[in-house]
Amino acid sequence: MGVPGPQVPQGHSGGHGGISGAAVTHVPRHHGDPSLPLTFFAPPPRTPLPPGGVAASGVWPEGARVRGRFLSAWNSVRYGWTVRTKTHFSKLSPLHLLGRAYCPAAAEELERFQRDFSSRLWLTYRREFPALEGTPWTTDCGWGCMLRSAQMLLAQGLILHLLGRDWTWPEALLELEPEPVTGSRRPRDPPGRTRDPPGRTRDPRETEQRHRTIVAWFADHPRAPFGIHRLVELGRNAGKKAGDWYGPSIVAHILRRAVETCPETSGLSVYVSQDCTVYKGDVAGLVQGDAERTAPEPGQRRAVVVLVPVRLGGESLNPVYVDCVKELLKLKSCVGIIGGKPRHSLYFVGFQDDFLLYLDPHYCQPFVDTSRENFPLQSFHCGSPRKMAFGKMDPSCTIGFYAAGGPDLEELCSDLTRVLTPPLAPERYPIFTVAEGQARDHGLEPLGSRPPPPPPPPRAGKRPKKPGADEFVFL
């Protein structure tokens, strides 16, 4: 069962009931000098959003439809407003981003960091997309931020799987770089680079097509395998519906099921830990594949995204875990953290000193039709990194890692063991553990052998309580 440690988490709420302070969000582009400090944008203070839902009969009465349309319009306005603010980063400390470190004191290093950050997929609230099945919802503003954070983590795993960690978007800094008088842009490092197998050079056009394919998989359309429509559909098995708040543990299982049922990603699997324990035998079995899943496409390898839901304290983050979280974010296999502040989900991608770096989904953008040829990509990338003090982090989160089979998987397990149980502090309770064998060896049912039970209905005469940061739904 693993060494006793932090509680098994079942998710802080991803909604927005009672957000303290000004919540900061990104805008697609920032024009001007790329040197620090950078300029950022934030929406005005928010008010709690009443939970939405379908009537017990599954049919929306006219009053509910009108209310749904009103809430959609109101949230589109509320999360579309921006206010100027600034974020300062120290030039004396390294910026850590998904396993890589950059020294911001050097201009070239700073530009490399900005290019790397801007190449991560940024998936935010959207409006005016096709209505979610059985509901009048045409936007996820106000309730879908945890699903968006989960999408961003999975997108990073797919980028590692299909493009490699060295890949950068050719237009990542296009609007941050000044143009000469002639109108031609100054020479830059070759964009779109990927780590190809020995003896093979990937065509930049093929690389960009894979980039667009990944973005299209997360489109806000019922046919997109990882879009908001599909994730909401899979959330029904956990008793969730459109308009509800999702926790980081529930979305981990939703991602696992979404990848399992997606034929386009046959070479990739998702593993969700049980009881804060990663069982090496189960992970290795997913990488090796089975008869239920088809073989990966030629030139692709089998790999796994490991998701570990954890809880790092009671009402607030226990400071004893901060150093370990930093070390995990330094691992080259790390694909980020689905977390945030209480009732305010964010996607953490790195840190500097005692501040987390993140992408914020709380910015409402118009629906983009990814079925169009050469659809615009600018709104799926953000050039403005943002930071938040570790002390504000909600203790309930899901940490993600990516590994291919063979040496990569062994290296991941070795790195996790080293970080979680450091030799200088062997008595410290680890955030989670890595154990030999399989879950069934320890009396646990195989992952996914049965759907998670829905939460029990409220007692008669009692109003359902809004989920708090310390409430769990055991799967």
Side-chain angles (χ1 to χ4, degrees):
M1 297 295 293
V3 180
Q7 294 172 278
V8 182
Q10 300 299 330
H12 80 289
S13 169
H16 305 282
I19 298 173
S20 59
V24 180
T25 187
H26 306 294
V27 293
R29 288 288 158 211
H30 163 59
H31 297 267
D33 187 358
S35 62
L36 300 181
L38 302 175
T39 301
F40 306 93
F41 299 83
R46 301 164 187 151
T47 55
L49 173 69
V54 184
S57 62
V59 178
W60 282 77
E62 184 59 29
R65 290 181 180 276
V66 173
R67 176 176 173 272
R69 295 191 189 100
F70 172 78
L71 290 176
S72 295
W74 166 243
N75 283 318
S76 296
V77 173
R78 180 172 59 174
Y79 293 105
W81 283 90
T82 58
V83 178
R84 285 187 176 273
T85 183
K86 288 186 178 181
T87 293
H88 297 269
F89 292 96
S90 171
K91 294 186 178 182
L92 304 178
S93 303
L95 288 160
H96 294 274
L97 177 64
L98 296 173
R100 297 198 170 178
Y102 300 92
C103 178
E108 292 183 0
E109 282 282 290
L110 177 60
E111 182 173 319
R112 287 179 56 218
F113 166 77
Q114 290 179 307
R115 184 186 300 281
D116 191 359
F117 181 88
S118 300
S119 297
R120 303 312 107 205
L121 284 195
W122 181 41
L123 302 170
T124 71
Y125 289 154
R126 295 280 174 174
R127 63 179 183 270
E128 301 165 2
F129 55 65
L132 297 168
E133 183 180 2
T135 80
W137 292 105
T138 58
T139 179
D140 61 318
C141 287
W143 57 269
C145 61
M146 187 66 72
L147 294 174
R148 297 300 186 178
S149 296
Q151 285 180 322
M152 286 188 273
L153 183 143
L154 179 59
Q156 177 60 19
L158 288 167
I159 287 175
L160 293 181
H161 188 59
L162 299 175
L163 297 174
R165 184 62 181 90
D166 289 340
W167 173 82
T168 57
W169 183 38
E171 300 180 30
L173 296 182
L174 206 57
E175 297 190 22
L176 291 178
E177 296 181 355
E179 293 188 24
V181 177
T182 59
S184 60
R185 299 187 183 274
R186 65 178 177 85
R188 299 182 297 164
D189 293 334
R193 295 172 298 173
T194 61
R195 181 174 297 173
D196 296 314
R200 179 190 175 192
T201 302
R202 185 173 294 162
D203 186 340
R205 290 174 296 182
E206 177 189 352
T207 298
E208 183 57 22
Q209 184 55 47
R210 288 195 176 193
H211 172 212
R212 288 182 172 274
T213 297
I214 294 174
V215 172
W217 284 343
F218 294 90
D220 301 301
H221 193 278
R223 291 192 298 271
F226 309 125
I228 193 75
H229 295 74
R230 178 60 175 159
L231 300 188
V232 169
E233 177 186 353
L234 293 172
R236 295 194 187 109
N237 292 331
K240 295 292 184 179
K241 59 182 181 296
D244 284 352
W245 292 299
Y246 295 72
S249 181
I250 287 179
V251 297
H253 287 271
I254 290 175
L255 291 183
R256 174 181 61 82
R257 185 59 181 157
V259 173
E260 284 178 352
T261 56
C262 178
E264 291 90 346
T265 57
S266 55
L268 184 68
S269 300
V270 172
Y271 171 87
V272 183
S273 68
Q274 296 175 270
D275 289 347
C276 284
T277 303
V278 174
Y279 293 98
K280 295 171 64 175
D282 290 332
V283 177
L286 288 176
V287 175
Q288 294 169 4
D290 52 44
E292 295 181 1
R293 301 210 73 192
T294 58
E297 295 181 5
Q300 289 189 18
R301 55 183 180 174
R302 289 192 180 275
V304 61
V305 172
V306 177
L307 300 179
V308 187
V310 295
R311 187 166 181 85
L312 309 177
E315 291 292 331
S316 60
L317 177 71
N318 189 332
V320 73
Y321 297 121
V322 170
D323 288 341
C324 187
V325 172
K326 290 181 179 180
E327 292 300 316
L328 292 174
L329 286 169
K330 288 181 181 180
L331 298 180
K332 69 177 185 179
S333 57
C334 184
V335 292
I337 300 175
I338 305 170
K341 295 181 282 190
R343 310 177 72 80
H344 181 97
S345 180
L346 303 168
Y347 171 48
F348 297 123
V349 295
F351 71 95
Q352 183 187 49
D353 295 327
D354 292 325
F355 294 89
L356 287 154
L357 307 181
Y358 64 84
L359 282 164
D360 192 342
H362 302 89
Y363 183 70
C364 189
Q365 303 188 85
F367 165 73
V368 173
D369 184 2
T370 58
S371 65
R372 292 168 44 202
E373 186 177 2
N374 296 324
F375 62 88
L377 289 167
Q378 284 73 17
S379 66
F380 295 99
H381 293 273
C382 176
S384 301
R386 187 68 182 168
K387 71 178 183 179
M388 182 192 83
F390 268 95
K392 295 182 179 180
M393 179 181 179
D394 192 289
S396 184
C397 60
T398 289
I399 309 173
F401 307 92
Y402 169 89
D408 279 6
L409 184 57
E410 289 299 325
E411 183 179 3
L412 170 61
C413 294
S414 176
D415 287 343
L416 291 179
T417 301
R418 171 180 56 83
V419 171
L420 296 171
T421 55
L424 298 180
E427 75 286 350
R428 187 181 70 186
Y429 281 164
I431 292 178
F432 60 93
T433 59
V434 179
E436 299 289 341
Q438 299 177 314
R440 63 169 60 94
D441 300 334
H442 300 266
L444 296 177
E445 293 186 21
L447 189 64
S449 60
R450 62 178 181 177
R459 290 181 296 174
K462 298 286 186 179
R463 295 183 61 185
K465 186 175 62 174
K466 290 182 179 180
D470 57 344
E471 291 181 340
F472 305 133
V473 179
F474 288 92
L475 303 180

